[in-house]
Amino acid sequence: MAITPFIADHPLIQHKLTLLRDKNTGSKEFRELIAEITMLLCYEATRDLPLKEVEIETPMAVTKTQVISGRKLAFVPILRAGLGMVDGVMQLVPAAKVGHIGLYRDPETALPVEYYCKLPNDIANREVIVLDPMLATGGSAIDAITQIKARGVKNIKFMCIIAAPEGLRALQDAHPDVKIYCASLDDHLDEHKYIIPGLGDAGDRIFGTK
Ligand code: PRP
Ligand code: URA
């Protein structure tokens, strides 16, 4: 049984997502919105980080309080579009390490083609959150997570902005242990495997390449 996905219903996320989807939103605002939605999703994806008690002195008193302890994080964006999510997560977790996996979808087959992989040496000892704004067929996410598991990583989450039902199912079937966080579960894929209603091509909109 796959872990139940987290699908955001927060009004701030839904409002920002509407702006993000709009075809009239330009690259600058698109990048800002991706970063903001990513931060809001990261808040949820890090909810289970363990805490430990420490003693500190405020200007008024000595007190016992909590800091994050134990598990260290690594974020792994899937190039290119996943790069748009890195700033948002690194603002919240600045000590995390960042690995990169390069994949693009073959325009004819929609199957992922690998072209780059550089992961932190100690990744097996880290909790990994894979970043990609779009989960369409699921091929890219499945491939990236398979590569990360091959490096010995046990604890993996996947964070996207928009998921298609087809991609969600495929990812859950391939990696039932991976919890998925997304801002929206959309309707379906079209004949070119693009998400409907979606937001178009995330990489092109982030980098202005169309
Ligand atoms: C997009 C997107 C995902 C992938 C999703 O990348 O960013 O990586 O497609 O599709 P899938 O779930 O069917 O695999 P794309 O291949 O367009 O590359 P880019 O990020 O370099 O633009
Ligand atoms: N990749 C995108 O950027 N958008 C889609 O709708 C599907 C794959």
Side-chain angles (χ1 to χ4, degrees):
M1 257 280 271
I3 303 174
T4 308
F6 173 87
I7 300 167
D9 59 357
H10 195 287
L12 281 175
I13 295 183
Q14 295 311 312
H15 180 86
K16 289 176 190 299
L17 192 53
T18 299
L19 301 174
L20 190 73
R21 289 183 192 276
D22 191 324
K23 68 176 186 184
N24 296 313
T25 297
S27 283
K28 177 176 181 291
E29 194 187 352
F30 191 89
R31 285 192 295 271
E32 290 166 355
L33 288 162
I34 290 259
E36 290 166 4
I37 295 169
T38 300
M39 285 171 89
L40 293 166
L41 286 175
C42 186
Y43 171 82
E44 290 299 339
T46 51
R47 190 175 274 287
D48 61 353
L49 286 179
L51 293 168
K52 71 174 179 198
E53 194 173 78
V54 294
E55 192 174 89
I56 58 152
E57 222 177 317
T58 77
M60 310 304 289
V62 172
T63 186
K64 290 191 191 329
T65 183
Q66 312 262 13
V67 291
I68 290 168
S69 80
R71 290 207 299 272
K72 291 190 164 57
L73 284 181
F75 294 106
V76 178
I78 301 178
L79 308 180
R80 287 176 304 165
L83 287 176
M85 301 172 77
V86 175
D87 279 357
V89 292
M90 291 306 279
Q91 281 198 47
L92 292 182
V93 195
K97 290 192 177 177
V98 181
H100 296 85
I101 292 183
L103 292 172
Y104 69 87
R105 286 201 323 178
D106 181 299
E108 299 300 318
T109 63
L111 293 172
V113 181
E114 294 165 23
Y115 61 90
Y116 188 74
C117 181
K118 179 78 182 170
L119 300 171
N121 287 334
D122 63 351
I123 195 158
N125 304 322
R126 290 178 178 261
E127 173 174 331
V128 172
I129 303 183
V130 179
L131 308 171
D132 193 327
M134 309 305 278
L135 180 66
T137 65
S140 304
I142 291 168
D143 200 282
I145 291 168
T146 301
Q147 290 191 49
I148 293 165
K149 282 187 175 173
R151 299 280 295 263
V153 180
K154 296 276 177 286
N155 196 336
I156 303 175
K157 294 172 179 168
F158 179 78
M159 195 192 296
C160 62
I161 308 281
I162 297 180
E166 295 90 331
L168 190 77
R169 268 197 304 275
L171 180 51
Q172 287 184 314
D173 286 349
H175 297 296
D177 56 309
V178 171
K179 179 151 181 170
I180 301 166
Y181 295 80
C182 72
S184 174
L185 180 59
D186 273 17
D187 203 53
H188 66 281
L189 296 177
D190 74 3
E191 65 276 23
H192 304 293
K193 310 289 185 201
Y194 270 76
I195 301 175
I196 304 296
L199 50 71
D201 189 304
D204 283 345
R205 294 193 66 183
I206 290 170
F207 296 109
T209 42
K210 212 165 217 173

